[in-house]
């Protein structure tokens, strides 16, 4: 392929998980060419240390601002692009990435392919993405270079720490008159006590739980496992858990070490949010439930028998 510029995402002092995955995706795209990673922040030195990852050739630090800002990121990427002339500008398909990726493509007059879940670089660049609520996969033949591509979280493994990438401070010239918004504060929405995207072990509950009061069982199991509780959408739609616990296409994408799916059928919209988990364990009475197609371990049994037994075993 050709050189790749990957611009990472961070929030409130932490790199988002997708940033590490972006590096793996960027390395795959760059092939034998260079992978340039850029971070825009007022705390670039700390981020640069974390970005010294396997496959990174250079880390460009843009020492500007604190949190994500559309207009600052847009100008920074325009200037990085002019300097590095990459064949691909790679951005995360996160809230921030999606906020400015179209503006980057528009400003640089480049094509934009969003929400990539796989690449094929054998003959040019083919990007796989999903459509119709993850019911079909499409392959986009990218007949142009350079191009802007956003990648979905949870589709590539996170890049591991390595050591050896050059850190290159990038002197950016931000036109403040073009910065039309400022982040004034953060407010977590409903039940913002947990971030399921940060959990190593998720105990996830679905409609099979039957009644709201039965959720106690799931919280007891989570406590025994030192895990976090997440859910499928019907649990949130019923108002039994807040929206920030929902896994899936219209919820959050999670990549825990272990994902325990309890009474969840495995609809495509749910699987879209958790298929990147390292180990998937499913408990379901229906042996034909689609969740078993992706589970590493499956228990075909009643959750009201299995979960108490698990709690006892782990306690
Ligand atoms: C545009 C769109 C976006 C969507 N986004 C999301 C999303 O982000 N996240 C999401 O989860 N869904 C989403 N959905 C909904 C999705 O299509 C499914 O309806 C939903 O995931 C089903 O949730 P569930 O598996 O909990 O329920 P069900 O599909 O009803 O499955 C319940 C499962 O529990 C099992 N069960 C029942 N009793 C027991 C028992 N006693 N012990 C063990 N197992 C038992 C059953 O066999 C069944 O497999 C979306 C849908 C649309 C159209």
């Amino acid at each position: 392929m050709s050189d790749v510029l990957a611009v990472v995402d961070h929030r409130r002092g932490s790199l988002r998980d997708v940033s590490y995955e972006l590096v793996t995706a960027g390395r795959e795209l760059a092939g034998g060419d260079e992978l340039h990673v850029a971070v825009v922040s007022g705390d670039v030195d700390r981020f640069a240390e974390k970005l010294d990852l396997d496959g990174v050739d250079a880390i460009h630090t843009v020492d500007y601002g604190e949190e994500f800002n559309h207009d600052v990121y847009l100008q920074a990427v325009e200037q990085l692009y002019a300097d590095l002339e990459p064949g691909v500008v790679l951005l995360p398909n996160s809230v921030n990435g999606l906020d400015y990726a179209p503006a980057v493509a528009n400003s640089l007059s480049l094509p934009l392919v969003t929400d990539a879940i796989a690449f094929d670089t054998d003959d040019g660049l083919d990007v796989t993405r999903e459509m119709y609520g993850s019911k079909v996969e499409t392959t986009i033949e990218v007949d142009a270079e350079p191009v802007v591509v956003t990648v979905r979280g949870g589709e590539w493994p996170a890049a591991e720490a390595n050591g050896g990438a050059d850190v290159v401070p990038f002197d950016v010239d931000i036109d403040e008159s073009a910065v039309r918004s400022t982040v004034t504060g953060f407010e977590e929405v409903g039940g913002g006590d947990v971030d399921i995207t940060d959990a190593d072990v998720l105990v996830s509950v679905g409609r099979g739980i039957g009644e709201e009061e039965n959720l106690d069982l799931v919280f007891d199991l989570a406590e025994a496992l030192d895990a976090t509780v997440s859910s499928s959408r019907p649990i949130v739609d019923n108002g039994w858990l807040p929206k920030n616990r929902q896994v899936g296409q219209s919820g959050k994408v999670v990549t825990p070490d272990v994902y325990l799916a309890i009474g969840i059928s495995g609809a495509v919209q749910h699987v879209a949010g958790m298929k990147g988990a390292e180990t998937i364990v499913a408990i379901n009475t229906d042996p034909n439930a689609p969740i078993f197609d992706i589970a590493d371990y499956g228990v075909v049994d009643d959750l009201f028998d299995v979960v108490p037994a698990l709690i006892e075993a782990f306690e």
Side-chain angles (χ1 to χ4, degrees):
M1 280 295 293
S2 49
D3 289 355
V4 172
L5 167 64
V7 186
V8 300
D9 194 8
H10 57 85
R11 196 181 67 144
R12 305 182 80 176
S14 299
L15 281 177
R16 310 306 311 265
D17 287 350
V18 69
S19 297
Y20 297 94
E21 298 156 14
L22 196 71
V23 168
T24 308
R27 183 69 267 156
E28 182 185 332
L29 271 186
D33 292 305
E34 294 195 340
L35 171 60
H36 298 264
V37 169
V39 57
V40 184
S41 159
D43 194 9
V44 281
D45 292 342
R46 200 169 54 79
F47 283 128
E49 258 177 54
K50 293 196 183 307
L51 288 169
D52 199 353
L53 299 165
D54 215 10
V56 176
D57 292 296
I59 304 157
H60 301 267
T61 54
V62 181
D63 190 357
Y64 200 94
E66 288 304 326
E67 296 294 342
F68 172 77
N69 182 297
H70 174 105
D71 297 310
V72 170
Y73 271 55
L74 175 59
Q75 292 185 53
V77 174
E78 284 168 350
Q79 292 171 34
L80 283 159
Y81 176 81
D83 192 54
L84 299 168
E85 299 181 348
V88 181
V89 177
L90 201 60
L91 306 176
N93 204 68
S94 57
V95 172
N96 290 346
L98 278 181
D99 181 288
Y100 80 115
V104 169
N106 180 54
S107 146
L108 300 174
S109 297
L110 301 181
L112 169 67
V113 184
T114 57
D115 207 15
I117 61 164
F119 298 135
D120 183 345
T121 54
D122 284 349
D123 183 19
L125 172 60
D126 289 351
V127 178
T128 305
R129 59 196 305 280
E130 292 176 338
M131 291 172 70
Y132 303 118
S134 304
K135 284 198 169 65
V136 294
E137 276 188 2
T138 53
T139 304
I140 312 283
E141 243 179 70
V142 183
D143 196 12
E145 193 186 290
V147 61
V148 180
V149 179
T150 69
V151 304
R152 183 185 289 186
E155 298 295 334
W156 277 267
E160 305 279 339
N162 185 7
D166 293 335
V167 177
V168 188
F170 186 80
D171 210 4
V172 77
D173 182 16
I174 300 292
D175 173 6
E176 278 294 341
S177 67
V179 179
R180 294 158 297 175
S181 63
T182 317
V183 176
T184 56
F186 278 92
E187 204 171 312
E188 296 287 356
V189 285
D193 51 327
V194 289
D195 182 356
I196 60 170
T197 63
D198 266 353
D200 294 331
V201 182
L202 279 175
V203 171
S204 208
V205 57
R207 188 151 36 200
I209 197 71
E211 305 284 338
E212 184 176 11
E213 49 268 33
N214 297 337
L215 283 179
D216 286 349
L217 194 60
V218 177
F219 276 94
D220 288 348
L221 178 60
E223 200 181 328
L225 287 169
D226 199 15
T228 302
V229 173
S230 57
S231 79
S232 64
R233 178 162 156 176
I235 303 297
V236 173
D237 287 349
N238 286 347
W240 298 351
L241 285 176
K243 175 83 178 162
N244 69 331
R245 302 251 188 183
Q246 182 186 321
V247 173
Q249 184 193 317
S250 52
K252 293 192 174 173
V253 175
V254 295
T255 52
D257 296 337
V258 179
Y259 189 87
L260 185 49
I262 302 176
I264 291 177
S265 59
V268 282
Q269 295 88 355
H270 184 80
V271 169
M274 45 67 77
K275 65 183 174 202
E278 207 166 302
T279 302
I280 298 168
V281 184
I283 303 169
N284 199 305
T285 41
D286 177 4
N288 297 316
I291 192 77
F292 288 125
D293 295 342
I294 57 156
D296 299 287
Y297 300 94
V299 183
V300 181
D301 209 339
D302 191 322
L303 71 90
F304 295 103
D305 294 329
V306 180
V307 174
L310 285 177
I311 294 170
E312 200 182 317
F314 284 107
E315 273 176 350

